[in-house]
Amino acid sequence: MTIVPILIIAAISGSASLLVRGNRPWSTGIAILGLVGMVATSIALGATATIEIGGTTLAASDWLRLYAILGSVVGLLLVLVDVSALHEADAPGVIVLGLGAAVLALALPDPVIAVAAATAGGLAGVLVAAPVGAAARAAFVGVRELRALAVAGSLAIVATAWLARPLADLATAPAVFGLAYLAFAVAVAIRFGAIPFHLWAARVADAAPGVALPLLMAWGPAAFAAVALVWIDHSVAPLLLPFDGERAVVAGVGAVSIVLGLVAAWIQDDLEHVVGYTIVADAGFVVLGLTVFEPGIWAPTRTWLLVFVVVRSALAALMVALNGSFGTRRLSELDGWARRAPALAVALVGIAIATIGWPGQLAWDARASIAGLALPDPLATLVTIAPIGGLAVYGRILAAGVRPSGDAVRAGRSERPGWPVPWPARPMVGRGSIELGFERVGHAVGGLLDVLWTLPAAARLNRMGLAALAVLALTGLSLGVAAGGLDVAAAARAVTVVGEPIPSSGPARSGAPVGSATPGLSPTPEVTFEPIGSAPAGQPVGSVEP
Amino acid sequence: MLNPALAAIAAVTIAGGVLAVSAREPRATILGLLIVMLASPLIVEPWPGPLPILARVAAAFLAARLLVIGVRTDGSSGIEVVSSGSAIGWPAEALAAAAAAVLGFASHGLGAAGLGPAEAQAASFALAGLAAAPLIAGRDVLRLGVGSLLLLDAALLLRLGLDQPPTAAEQLVASLLTIGIGGAVAVVATAARAAGGLVVPDETRRRSRPPDAHRPAGRTQERAAGRAPERAPSRTDSPRS
């Protein structure tokens, strides 16, 4: 199956969900149906299926397939947590549309079009950042997000268009190439809210529903970053230009985001800010991955992209569940939360394990590879072990949870299961085995009916238990993906093959960046460059290929 | 080589951009944006086929319709929706756009041979120049939204000037982008209007603390709050030099 059914389901269900936004149950129901359909079609997606539409090929890959499956499943669980805990308006529809746009961007082999698609998907997030009827502050948050998306999208469109044509007669090759590379890398940093471009993201983390945060700050930007990775691999890396200054700037942004993102998450009182800043910290590794022009960066960066978006989605779901349970998202008011919601406490521990990991675990190794390839040794080691600082973030949240319960927690909901009505007593009055048999069958049918017509009320009564179950499911998924389950590592090595299939073992080539990790895509046309310093004086830097 | 037809379309595009950033009346702003969204896909050689053009036109009208919904006046609330407009006036905006257009035309290809028309790059530079002030200094959501839309359109125009003509699929994605940004601007405008007006406070901007000599006295503040009665100025109330 090709990518088209996923896109059609996402477009129809996402739009329909937003069109009936006045009726929240219907809106959510349509979005859930759409996500279920996306899960099914993603599983059926062929890893090498291609289809040509309007002169452009839409191509699938193992990584895209896994992204679509994980995105749909995580989106479904996030919506279930939201329905159980808070039931925010518009968030389900925006999740469906955003995921659809991200899948479209990843299926487009032309980075110029892919960037436009990824930007269009990000715009859907403005709907939840500035909901109708919100305060003036929400409108300003929304317009800041819009501005960030427009600037990032414009930078990326210009950068990709600049390198998409024959560049044999360039006057000043290195500077403008470097600017194009820097523009796209900065665009990715802006989309992730990496430090120092984090102000808009911090406001969005404050204003947007917690359940939409993973889409706005992780899943959508991850697709954008994956497009950037492909573009750098087949348009920038083959140029063999060092770009030392530009790469140092981008590496600085990545390293600073990793460290300061964790510090910011540690000192925040608002749990959604904690989620936002941990995403910023994790995204620092993706930004670091953009500074390496070797095929060896391909697999670890794409592995980390999948791991971090799933893990942060689980953390966001946990925070939404806490907010729904106790009516506050301020850590200072959540004393004793773990006593009332032990399943969520278990989930927090699981998320911490999945996030931080250990040497030998897939997520840890991916981060270590990225840092080792992007940074010189002492700095690489520091950045590699920096996520251990996340223990302080999770420890602080957990420490608040084991303290004596505060007012908000005492007044909040518990995970303890309950049933809305007492079970009816059905005394056995029959005599003989036949009578008793009839009686038992009747009681069984009656009991079943009792359960069926009480289910809606039971779901309402056990909202927090259901939310906790969904969070635990997300945590399990995070642990599995972080440990290499679902064949993440193999999917991360896979490449999109467009046109004639080219035999390739993926990016597992060694040596200098003599080629790209995406052999099916055409590289920057008609130009080859010698490394700076190797060309004799007076000789032009660029030369046309025969 | 200047193509008169493309140059005329580029001029219309730039004029639409000038109208969008200069007008205080939101409907005029949206008319300017509609002109930009309708004309900009046509600054390409050869022109796109009928279906891609139809998609871009439909997207432009839909985006404009969403914008109209976002800024229409609610008669019951009595709130008059007015944008802050340009601080320097339309003639200055037009001159700045013209200068940027000349720069874009002259630098066609940005160092290498451009595969698209130079007129597209000229219009791109002009729109980017027009978008700069609203994006950087805009204090109302409509103006910031106009800046964002013009900037993205400028980027798409630059791509038309640098690279080969877009495929039908690319036109379709550009249509989605147009609808998306129109809808996003409409959403923030609606949210701002519901909160009292298009101009919203920027909480990140620190208020400057006035010097002590110019700070209002406590009694003046109480009077402003209606707690202290007005009284005739006496010698003790006279301002100190």
Side-chain angles (χ1 to χ4, degrees):
Chain A
M1 185 184 284
T2 65
I3 202 81
V4 173
I6 302 175
L7 300 180
I8 291 174
I9 290 172
I12 292 176
S13 59
S15 305
S17 172
L18 291 178
L19 282 173
V20 298
R21 58 194 296 274
N23 189 331
R24 203 173 292 190
W26 273 95
S27 176
T28 306
I30 291 170
I32 288 175
L33 275 179
L35 285 165
V36 170
M38 287 174 72
V39 172
T41 46
S42 302
I43 290 170
L45 176 66
T48 56
T50 60
I51 184 170
E52 186 166 327
I53 296 175
T56 298
T57 303
L58 296 178
S61 69
D62 283 325
W63 194 82
L64 168 57
R65 182 170 175 270
L66 193 52
Y67 179 97
I69 293 172
L70 288 175
S72 310
V73 170
V74 168
L76 191 59
L77 289 171
L78 280 172
V79 171
L80 291 177
V81 171
D82 180 52
V83 170
S84 306
L86 294 170
H87 210 175
E88 302 270 9
D90 302 331
V94 167
I95 287 174
V96 174
L97 276 183
L99 279 174
V103 169
L104 172 63
L106 292 172
L108 287 163
D110 184 349
V112 182
I113 318 177
V115 162
T119 305
L123 289 169
V126 175
L127 191 60
V128 286
V132 176
R137 187 170 178 280
F140 199 77
V141 169
V143 86
R144 283 177 77 97
E145 184 190 4
L146 173 62
R147 181 170 61 179
L149 288 169
V151 170
S154 303
L155 285 173
I157 289 171
V158 170
T160 49
W162 210 91
L163 288 188
R165 65 216 159 104
L167 297 167
D169 54 349
L170 282 180
T172 52
V176 283
F177 275 140
L179 282 178
Y181 160 70
L182 190 61
F184 206 159
V186 166
V188 173
I190 291 174
R191 282 295 304 267
F192 273 121
I195 297 170
F197 310 106
H198 61 289
L199 279 180
W200 76 269
R203 301 291 179 277
V204 166
D206 199 24
V211 72
L213 276 186
L215 176 84
L216 302 184
M217 297 184 64
W219 287 90
F224 197 80
V227 172
L229 201 64
V230 172
W231 176 75
I232 287 172
D233 184 67
H234 81 92
S235 290
V236 179
L239 300 174
L240 299 179
L241 293 170
F243 298 139
D244 287 337
E246 293 86 352
R247 290 163 70 184
V249 169
V250 178
V253 169
V256 165
S257 297
I258 292 166
V259 176
L260 293 188
L262 283 171
V263 173
W266 181 52
I267 62 175
Q268 290 295 326
D269 187 45
D270 188 327
L271 291 178
E272 288 191 0
H273 281 227
V274 173
V275 175
Y277 279 112
T278 51
I279 289 174
V280 168
D282 287 350
F285 284 100
V286 181
V287 176
L288 272 185
L290 301 181
T291 64
V292 182
F293 295 166
E294 293 176 25
I297 197 65
W298 181 257
T301 307
R302 301 212 311 170
T303 299
W304 177 243
L305 271 173
L306 283 181
V307 170
F308 110 80
V309 293
V310 174
V311 172
R312 288 307 162 211
S313 300
L315 184 62
L318 173 75
M319 300 313 175
V320 169
L322 280 178
N323 190 2
S325 296
F326 307 119
T328 178
R329 54 187 212 199
R330 303 189 74 84
L331 192 57
S332 54
E333 297 170 1
L334 281 170
D335 283 355
W337 69 265
R339 295 163 180 253
R340 297 283 317 259
L344 292 181
V346 171
L348 181 66
V349 173
I351 290 167
I353 292 170
T355 309
I356 298 167
W358 59 91
Q361 183 221 32
L362 184 73
W364 179 284
D365 288 349
R367 287 196 309 256
S369 298
I370 294 170
L373 287 167
L375 297 169
D377 195 22
L379 207 54
T381 307
L382 280 176
V383 167
T384 302
I385 62 172
I388 295 175
L391 281 174
V393 179
Y394 304 114
R396 180 167 162 259
I397 298 172
L398 203 55
V402 297
R403 281 198 284 264
S405 299
D407 293 338
V409 171
R410 275 197 296 272
R413 303 191 191 110
S414 164
E415 288 174 351
R416 186 172 298 168
W419 197 251
V421 289
W423 291 101
R426 292 190 176 87
M428 301 292 282
V429 293
R431 294 177 187 169
S433 59
I434 295 176
E435 285 185 19
L436 285 172
F438 270 113
E439 214 170 343
R440 286 197 182 98
V441 170
H443 287 181
V445 172
L448 185 65
L449 288 175
D450 282 342
V451 169
L452 281 178
W453 63 56
T454 321
L455 272 182
R460 275 197 299 278
L461 186 70
N462 294 286
R463 282 161 57 175
M464 291 331 302
L466 293 173
L469 279 178
V471 173
L472 282 173
L474 268 172
T475 305
L477 190 63
S478 306
L479 283 165
V481 171
L486 300 177
D487 231 357
V488 175
R493 281 194 300 272
V495 296
T496 308
V497 177
V498 182
E500 290 186 5
I502 300 171
S504 168
S505 59
R509 292 187 297 260
S510 59
V514 292
S516 69
T518 52
L521 304 175
S522 59
T524 303
E526 294 181 26
V527 62
T528 55
F529 283 89
E530 295 296 326
I532 286 178
S534 65
Q539 185 174 326
V541 178
S543 63
V544 180
E545 278 183 346
Chain B
M1 194 67 170
L2 186 72
N3 181 330
L6 293 184
I9 300 172
V12 169
T13 306
I14 296 168
V18 171
L19 177 61
V21 298
S22 311
R24 287 173 55 81
E25 168 63 38
R27 288 201 180 99
T29 302
I30 294 169
L31 176 64
L33 290 178
L34 179 61
I35 292 169
V36 171
M37 291 185 288
L38 284 174
S40 60
L42 302 177
I43 315 176
V44 64
E45 202 173 6
W47 271 19
L51 277 178
I53 285 188
L54 196 63
R56 294 298 296 266
V57 168
F61 276 111
L62 180 54
R65 178 63 191 151
L66 292 172
L67 286 168
V68 168
I69 293 170
V71 300
R72 68 184 166 195
T73 307
D74 181 5
S76 59
S77 69
I79 297 171
E80 189 182 1
V81 180
V82 178
S83 173
S84 56
S86 168
I88 57 175
W90 73 265
E93 296 279 6
L95 285 174
V102 170
L103 187 66
F105 191 84
S107 63
H108 180 222
L110 298 176
L115 300 182
E119 292 82 359
Q121 189 172 319
S124 162
F125 273 51
L127 291 188
L130 288 170
L135 277 177
I136 296 167
R139 287 289 163 260
D140 76 66
V141 294
L142 183 60
R143 214 164 139 64
L144 276 162
V146 166
S148 302
L149 198 152
L150 289 181
L151 186 68
L152 273 173
D153 226 82
L156 292 173
L157 273 171
L158 188 61
R159 176 255 171 276
L160 291 182
L162 293 179
D163 205 357
Q164 292 171 339
T167 60
E170 186 172 349
Q171 296 279 14
L172 186 63
V173 172
S175 303
L176 294 177
L177 185 60
T178 304
I179 296 168
I181 195 158
V185 177
V187 164
V188 288
T190 306
R193 197 164 47 84
L198 293 177
V199 179
V200 290
D202 182 357
E203 294 177 354
T204 59
R205 175 169 287 194
R206 289 181 184 171
R207 286 183 187 168
S208 58
R209 182 173 181 270
D212 287 347
H214 300 287
R215 290 170 68 195
R219 184 160 191 85
T220 311
Q221 288 175 325
E222 287 177 1
R223 195 178 299 149
R227 289 198 294 270
E230 293 283 349
R231 62 185 174 119
S234 64
R235 190 179 298 172
T236 53
D237 284 333
S238 60
R240 283 173 286 179
S241 58

